[in-house]
Amino acid sequence: MADKQVFIFDTTLRDGEQVPGCKLNTKEKIELALKLETLGVDIIEAGFPISSPGDFESVNQISKVIKNATVCGLTRAVQKDIEVAAEALKPAVRPRIHTGIGSSDNHIKYKFNSTREEILERAVKAVKLARNYVPDVEFYAEDAGRADLQFLAQLTEAVIAAGATVVNVPDTTGFCLPHQYAEKMAYLMNNVSNIDKAILSCHCHNDLGLATANSIAGAIAGARQIECTINGIGERAGNTSLEEVVMAIRKHPELGLYTNVDPKQLLPMSRLVSETMRMVVQPNKAVVGDNAFSHSSGIHQDGFLKEATTYEIIAPEEVGADTSKIVLTARSGRSALAYRFKNLGYSFDRNQVDELYERFLQLADSKKEVEDADLKTLAEQVVVTA
Ligand code: KIV
Ligand code: ZN
C-alpha cells in the first residue's frame, strides 16, 4: 500500500505568534514564511487579517511572495472577518480561509451564549460565504477536544456539505489523552457520511504535554493534516511541535505516512524562529534542543562511542545539527575522557588515563561541566609529573 501524505500546516505565524512577547513585524513574518516554504510545509497560516492592520498587511504580503505553499488566513465565523481575510489573501496562488466557531457545550454556553442549533447554522453560513471567495476552506470546530461526539459529527457533516475542504478538530485546551483524540478522529472517519469529500486535521495544544502524541494518534486514526509550530510555540503551553511530528513520522515508516518537510532544515529553522521571536528553546527539547545530541553519563557515553545507535535514534546531521556531543561531568567514564583528550590531540597510555581520570573526577565533582581548557590543564599536570 502506498504511503499516505500528512500535510503539514504551520501556524507559527498565527497561533505561535500569540505568545506574549513574540509579536513579529511584517518583514520578519515574510522572512519566516519564505523559510517555511523552503522547509517544505504545505500550508502557512500567515495570520488573522481582521485582528489588526499589521496582520492584514502581513497576510497580504506573504500571499504575494509564496508560490508553492497554500497561504491561509484565520477568521471567526463572522461575515466581516471572512471578507477581510479574502481581501488579504487575494494575491495568493493557493489561498485558504480558515474559519470556525466553538463546538463544545462549554464554549457554546459561555463564549457564545448560544445553542448547538445556532452554532451549526453560523458554521454553515460562514463556510458558504468563504467558498464564494476561495475554493479551499478549512473549518475549525474550536474546543472539539471537549465537544459532544455526536454533535461534532453532525457539525463536520454540515460544514463539508457547505463546501469545507478541511475540517480541523482542535484540542484547544490540550485536554485529550492520545487514545481519546484518536477515538474522536476514528468516530468522525466512520460516522460522517461525506467524509471522503474533505480531510480531517489535528490541531493540538500542549497543556498536558501531549500535543505531539495526540497529533500522531490522530494521524494514525485517519487525519491527513497536522497543525503545528516551530519549537512548539503557542498559547499557554504551546502547540504541537513541527519538528517532533515530522521526525516521529519519519522514524516510524511502519505507520505508512510521510511528510514533505526536509528534516535537514529543522535545526536551522528552530534557531531562526527562536532568535526572531526571542524565545529560548529548552535544552532538553526533543529534536532541536541543545542537549538533544549530548551524552553525559558514563554508561551512555561508552555505548555511544562503541556504536552511535545504541543511544541515538536520530543522527544529528539528519536534522541539520553539527555533531553529537560528549559532555564531561562527574558521571562520565574513562572512555569519554580518553575520547575528549584524543579530540584535543593528546594520546595517553593506560596508566596516564587512570591518573587523569582520578584527577578529572575530583575536578568534575566541583563543577557542572569539565571544559576543554580544564582538560588541557589536567594534561599538562600529568605530562609534567610523569
Ligand atoms: O486552538 C484552537 O482552537 C485554534 C483555532 C482558532 C484553530 O487555534
Ligand atoms: Zn490553537
Side-chain angles (χ1 to χ4, degrees):
M1 201 175 59
D3 284 355
K4 296 187 186 110
Q5 182 173 1
V6 174
F7 295 103
I8 296 294
F9 176 116
D10 181 275
T11 183
T12 305
L13 305 180
R14 199 280 296 170
D15 224 348
E17 203 229 13
Q18 290 176 207
V19 176
C22 283
K23 163 113 188 45
L24 300 170
N25 61 38
T26 299
K27 190 167 163 283
E28 290 167 326
K29 280 196 164 193
I30 293 172
E31 188 197 351
L32 289 182
L34 287 167
K35 284 279 188 328
L36 287 167
E37 182 171 49
T38 311
L39 176 68
V41 311
D42 302 287
I43 302 104
I44 297 170
E45 188 163 51
F48 183 10
I50 193 126
S51 65
S52 75
D55 227 34
F56 178 95
E57 179 67 8
S58 297
V59 175
N60 191 246
Q61 294 300 327
I62 289 170
S63 299
K64 288 180 187 159
V65 298
I66 295 298
K67 300 294 178 216
N68 298 315
T70 294
V71 180
C72 178
L74 186 81
T75 82
R76 295 165 296 183
V78 169
Q79 182 176 343
K80 187 78 186 149
D81 283 30
I82 294 168
E83 289 165 356
V84 170
E87 185 61 32
L89 290 166
K90 246 187 195 157
V93 179
R94 274 177 262 278
R96 178 183 292 181
I97 291 178
H98 188 191
T99 189
I101 196 160
S103 64
S104 66
D105 288 336
N106 178 300
H107 277 217
I108 294 171
K109 180 173 174 197
Y110 296 114
K111 265 185 75 174
F112 297 99
N113 186 24
S114 188
T115 61
R116 289 184 183 177
E117 292 69 34
E118 270 177 19
I119 291 290
L120 206 79
E121 239 175 73
R122 284 181 65 177
V124 166
K125 210 168 141 199
V127 171
K128 283 188 174 159
L129 178 63
R131 275 300 299 256
N132 288 338
Y133 295 103
V134 291
D136 187 8
V137 173
E138 174 169 341
F139 175 79
Y140 64 85
E142 197 181 10
D143 202 21
R146 295 186 297 173
D148 174 80
L149 208 43
Q150 278 173 7
F151 176 62
L152 190 60
Q154 200 187 351
L155 185 59
T156 302
E157 192 158 307
V159 295
I160 294 174
T165 46
V166 181
V167 178
N168 177 6
V169 184
D171 185 20
T172 306
T173 57
F175 169 73
C176 290
L177 299 174
H179 74 279
Q180 294 170 329
Y181 194 68
E183 277 163 19
K184 228 168 243 290
M185 286 294 179
Y187 185 87
L188 296 178
M189 292 295 291
N190 295 326
N191 292 280
V192 172
S193 68
N194 51 4
I195 197 69
D196 56 321
K197 303 216 162 37
I199 64 166
L200 293 177
S201 180
C202 307
H203 179 112
C204 298
H205 280 265
N206 205 30
D207 300 65
L208 294 174
L210 293 170
T212 297
N214 285 349
S215 299
I216 296 293
I220 292 170
R224 286 292 160 264
Q225 178 177 282
I226 293 179
E227 308 196 3
C228 44
T229 60
I230 302 293
N231 300 330
I233 59 168
E235 291 268 357
R236 308 182 307 280
N239 285 62
T240 301
S241 148
L242 181 145
E243 52 283 357
E244 291 174 15
V245 287
V246 165
M247 291 312 289
I249 288 172
R250 190 175 153 83
K251 288 286 138 184
H252 287 277
E254 76 278 10
L255 298 179
L257 303 173
Y258 74 95
T259 77
N260 269 344
V261 169
D262 172 12
K264 279 199 164 43
Q265 295 181 43
L266 288 174
L267 193 82
M269 192 73 214
S270 158
R271 297 253 159 93
L272 179 67
V273 167
S274 167
E275 281 158 24
T276 314
M277 291 191 156
R278 289 167 287 280
M279 180 119 175
V280 175
V281 175
Q282 73 197 63
N284 60 326
K285 168 82 177 59
V287 185
V288 292
D290 266 359
N291 291 349
F293 302 103
S294 292
H295 305 274
S296 64
S297 88
I299 295 173
H300 288 210
Q301 289 173 331
D302 186 51
F304 171 81
L305 289 169
K306 285 174 177 148
E307 163 56 41
T309 57
T310 52
Y311 286 98
E312 273 185 358
I313 59 160
I314 301 171
E317 54 278 10
E318 214 178 324
V319 295
D322 286 343
T323 51
S324 306
K325 280 185 251 161
I326 293 289
V327 180
L328 292 179
T329 71
R331 305 290 153 258
S332 299
R334 276 180 176 70
S335 54
L337 186 66
Y339 168 85
R340 285 283 297 270
F341 272 127
K342 195 169 159 222
N343 280 355
L344 289 173
Y346 294 99
S347 144
F348 295 111
D349 63 28
R350 211 190 162 81
N351 288 340
Q352 284 174 314
V353 171
D354 283 347
E355 187 186 338
L356 279 164
Y357 189 62
E358 290 309 312
R359 290 176 187 242
F360 159 77
L361 282 181
Q362 279 173 19
L363 180 65
D365 263 339
S366 69
K367 54 190 315 208
K368 295 222 183 289
E369 188 182 330
V370 175
E371 319 270 357
D372 282 350
D374 302 315
L375 293 181
K376 284 179 189 160
T377 310
L378 282 180
E380 277 160 25
Q381 287 169 359
V382 170
V383 172
V384 169
T385 54

